[in-house]
Amino acid sequence: MISWFKDIFLTQSIAQSIILIALTIAIGLYLGKFKIKGISLGITWILFVGIILSHFGLIGDAKLMSFIKDFGLILFVYAIGLQVGPSFFSSLRKGGLKLNMLAVLIVVLGCLVTLVIGYATNTDLATMTGIMTGAVTNTPALGAAQQTLEDAGQNGSFLSSAYAVAYPLAVIGIIFVPMLVKLIFRIDTKKEEQQSIQNNTTDNPSSMSIKVTNKGVEGKTLQTLHTIYKTPFVVSRIKRADGTLERANKDSVLYINDIVRMVTLKEHEEEVTLLLGERLKTEEISWDVDHGRLESKRIVVTKKEIQGKTLGELHLGTLYNVTLVRVKRGGTELVASANLQLQLGDRVVVVGSENNIQRVANVLGNSLKRLEVPNLIPIFMGIFLGIIVGLIPIKFPGIPQPIKLGLAGGSLIVAILISRFGPLYKVVTYTTTSANMMIRDIGISLFLAAVGLTAGENFVEVILSGGYWWVVYGLLITVIPIFIVACIARGVFKLPYYTIVGMIAGSHTDPPALAFANESTETDMPAVSYATVYPLTMFLRIFSAQILILISL
């Protein structure tokens, strides 16, 4: 019995390797639930459990572990690309441009600090790259660096040890530095939270009731007003002076003393109010008159043939005598303008009679069961294209070996492009949040387990032979860039504290730091800035790790 038990764990085979992977992930996820002072290493515990098991001789089949590592990384990165793709390009505009430039500066400074420490201490640059990936808590960058080194015919397993040594203090450093900046600049976070709540300037649509008092719009149709004034707004209902309530459409004519129920972006509220007349408090107006005739319902787009079509192309308002007010996509609400392209999973707010709303629901689908069916073809075709793109050699002047985006970089770029532009060409890229999280967590768990189970054999030996200095190097790579940029963000750009914290967490793609920030404030500022810089930073982290490895060759 004992011999049989030993064979299961010690004799390398496919079954033994899968057992080790499953055991490593299960123990690692369990340990990730524990927190110290609100801080947890989370899913990274899988890596450390793998290192411990392999240190004591529990090592899986090398070829199978290599496959699991690469496939897990592809799943993880591709799921991230699908998640952030729709907002990737829009995040570069407006205030997002400033945040992204600050995040890019953090990435660049991190690379510079890595180079300086490497040359000053005469440490191999490949090793410093491994330390850097741990110092910035970016696992895909580690995978990209390992793959680049292996493509050059060298063993990249030692990078995992460097990553694991630098990672723990990096998590603490990312949280500690913003707290230090808070003390230096004497930031009153409570005051900033109140100002953020009072001065909410998000792009989410806002509902208003306005009494028409401007004689300049009297007798004009809503279509005429939209033609003259480019401000985006949608009128859903009109209450006439005699109390009659009617559904608004493009041919509806406005008269003095009419009261309109409308939706526009918050930034345009004052402009629209000046255009029409006097804003009223919603509670002063009863929009329940003739409630049996007019209703407001939310309809989910679940028919694949609707994907990529604009609201103007569908003519839903004209055909079914309804008004489309707003569209909720993910966590963002959009004004239902004629040129807005619908995507699978969109939730459209429709105003009209019950029968007409039901007819619109039949057109759009409104069947949640359809969304639960996974669309696997775009996922695997995207992975196929991502690997092809990742293997394309790109030559740069001064670098002897062509650069490849690799499995991680190619998959990330293709996923971003497909999720952003796929709906325009009728490609269904929708996945539910839970499905995306499942793919992502399975991918990163497989990757970390395989990395840990192949890195622990020489881990202690590496530490004892001078690897303890890597902890110091990693901490410097973590702290110096974010301290400099945090001071610039606050001292020069006067950014809110929690916006800076979210930007720093996003620039390190570090969920523990984001979780810590979210628990410290009632606002969504950390999450918003994290999501704003995350896509570009993820790409740059992967790309910069490959560049450093190529320089080291």
Side-chain angles (χ1 to χ4, degrees):
M1 184 67 178
I2 295 178
S3 175
W4 171 82
F5 192 77
K6 285 183 178 180
D7 288 341
I8 289 179
F9 285 93
L10 298 179
T11 302
Q12 291 187 2
S13 65
I14 293 177
Q16 179 253 10
S17 298
I18 294 175
I19 286 174
L20 290 181
I21 289 285
L23 182 64
T24 301
I25 293 174
I27 297 175
L29 291 176
Y30 178 75
L31 293 176
K33 295 180 179 181
F34 295 96
K35 296 181 179 180
I36 300 176
K37 299 292 184 179
I39 302 175
S40 169
L41 295 180
I43 202 169
T44 312
W45 266 112
I46 296 174
L47 174 66
F48 296 111
V49 171
I51 289 175
I52 293 171
L53 292 179
S54 58
H55 172 70
F56 288 103
L58 298 176
I59 301 171
D61 180 77
K63 291 184 178 180
L64 182 60
M65 288 296 171
S66 178
F67 166 76
I68 291 175
K69 181 185 69 174
D70 290 340
F71 187 62
L73 181 64
I74 291 170
L75 289 178
F76 174 68
V77 170
Y78 194 83
I80 287 177
L82 289 180
Q83 179 188 20
V84 304
S87 61
F88 179 78
F89 297 98
S90 62
S91 70
L92 301 179
R93 298 194 296 266
K94 298 182 180 179
L97 180 60
K98 184 186 299 181
L99 287 176
N100 273 285
M101 290 303 98
L102 290 171
V104 168
L105 182 58
I106 290 178
V107 175
V108 172
L109 288 176
C111 293
L112 291 177
V113 173
T114 301
L115 289 170
V116 169
I117 294 176
Y119 287 122
T121 61
N122 200 29
T123 303
D124 178 65
L125 186 55
T127 300
M128 288 301 306
T129 303
I131 296 172
M132 184 192 72
T133 60
V136 300
T137 69
N138 192 279
T139 309
L142 168 65
Q146 285 183 320
Q147 185 190 11
T148 303
L149 202 58
E150 290 167 1
D151 287 344
Q154 299 184 28
N155 186 357
S157 62
F158 69 93
L159 297 180
S160 303
S161 300
Y163 173 95
V165 168
Y167 190 99
L169 281 185
V171 175
I172 298 173
I174 295 170
I175 295 173
F176 171 77
V177 171
M179 297 173 67
L180 179 62
V181 172
K182 177 182 175 181
L183 291 175
I184 293 174
F185 287 92
R186 299 179 181 179
I187 300 173
D188 187 345
T189 55
K190 293 297 181 183
K191 183 179 179 180
E192 289 191 356
E193 285 184 67
Q194 292 175 356
Q195 290 176 346
S196 173
I197 295 173
Q198 293 172 359
N199 304 317
N200 185 3
T201 56
T202 65
D203 288 335
N204 286 344
S206 171
S207 299
M208 299 193 299
S209 295
I210 298 180
K211 184 175 183 179
V212 178
T213 59
N214 182 4
K215 294 183 178 180
V217 302
E218 185 175 20
K220 290 184 172 61
T221 65
L222 291 175
Q223 185 176 23
T224 301
L225 293 178
H226 280 295
T227 303
I228 299 174
Y229 304 97
K230 302 302 181 182
T231 303
F233 67 88
V234 175
V235 176
S236 59
R237 283 162 283 183
I238 303 175
K239 180 175 287 188
R240 301 299 183 181
D242 62 1
T244 304
L245 180 66
E246 63 182 60
R247 182 194 68 82
N249 57 53
K250 64 179 182 178
D251 298 319
S252 296
V253 180
L254 296 184
Y255 299 99
I256 296 297
N257 294 325
D258 283 348
I259 298 176
V260 298
R261 181 66 170 166
M262 64 181 304
V263 170
T264 187
L265 299 179
K266 288 182 178 295
E267 60 190 77
H268 298 308
E269 286 181 352
E270 185 176 351
E271 183 180 350
V272 173
T273 302
L274 291 174
L275 168 65
L276 298 180
E278 173 189 353
R279 182 172 181 175
L280 303 176
K281 293 182 178 180
T282 304
E283 56 267 24
E284 294 177 357
I285 309 301
S286 174
W287 292 106
D288 294 327
V289 178
D290 294 329
H291 189 269
R293 191 163 61 86
L294 286 182
E295 293 185 0
S296 176
K297 288 189 177 180
R298 188 165 299 209
I299 298 174
V300 185
V301 179
T302 59
K303 283 190 176 180
K304 294 181 180 180
E305 54 267 30
I306 300 297
Q307 175 98 339
K309 291 186 177 181
T310 66
L311 292 175
E313 291 174 336
L314 294 173
H315 302 291
L316 296 175
T318 303
L319 293 174
Y320 303 107
N321 196 29
V322 297
T323 301
L324 280 64
V325 182
R326 67 179 82 190
V327 176
K328 186 170 184 180
R329 179 174 297 162
T332 303
E333 287 193 335
L334 309 167
V335 176
S337 57
N339 60 353
L340 179 65
Q341 290 180 315
L342 292 177
Q343 296 182 14
L344 215 64
D346 284 351
R347 288 167 167 77
V348 185
V349 178
V350 181
V351 174
S353 67
E354 183 178 357
N355 289 337
N356 288 338
I357 290 177
Q358 184 56 49
R359 293 166 69 189
V360 173
N362 293 336
V363 173
L364 299 181
N366 203 37
S367 174
L368 294 177
K369 288 185 178 180
R370 292 186 183 180
L371 294 181
E372 295 174 356
V373 178
N375 299 293
L376 296 180
I377 293 179
I379 292 178
F380 284 101
M381 282 302 299
I383 290 175
F384 165 75
L385 293 174
I387 294 174
I388 297 297
V389 171
L391 295 178
I392 297 175
I394 305 172
K395 293 185 178 181
F396 284 91
I399 300 179
Q401 183 174 330
I403 292 177
K404 297 179 182 178
L405 293 174
L407 301 181
S411 298
L412 179 64
I413 289 177
V414 170
I416 288 175
L417 293 177
I418 284 182
S419 61
R420 172 62 183 86
F421 299 105
L424 306 183
Y425 301 97
K426 315 300 182 185
V427 177
V428 179
T429 60
Y430 176 81
T431 56
T432 62
T433 302
S434 59
N436 185 280
M437 289 289 291
M438 176 65 76
I439 295 173
R440 190 172 66 184
D441 287 352
I442 287 177
I444 191 62
S445 296
L446 290 174
F447 174 80
L448 289 173
V451 168
L453 289 169
T454 54
E457 190 174 6
N458 301 317
F459 184 78
V460 175
E461 179 182 343
V462 168
I463 296 297
L464 294 178
S465 62
Y468 49 83
W469 279 105
W470 296 355
V471 177
V472 179
Y473 301 160
L475 191 59
L476 292 175
I477 295 172
T478 301
V479 170
I480 294 175
I482 60 178
F483 179 75
I484 292 174
V485 174
C487 289
I488 294 174
R490 185 65 185 187
V492 178
F493 296 109
K494 311 299 181 184
L495 294 181
Y497 173 74
Y498 285 113
T499 296
I500 296 173
V501 174
M503 182 270 295
I504 290 173
S507 69
H508 283 68
T509 62
D510 186 50
L514 176 63
F516 183 82
N518 284 336
E519 291 176 0
S520 304
T521 178
E522 297 178 358
T523 71
D524 61 352
M525 286 190 290
V528 170
S529 57
Y530 180 95
T532 299
V533 304
Y534 184 97
L536 180 60
T537 301
M538 176 63 77
F539 172 76
L540 290 178
R541 290 296 186 193
I542 292 172
F543 188 71
S544 61
Q546 290 180 306
I547 293 292
L548 291 178
I549 289 295
L550 290 173
I551 293 175
S552 70
L553 296 177

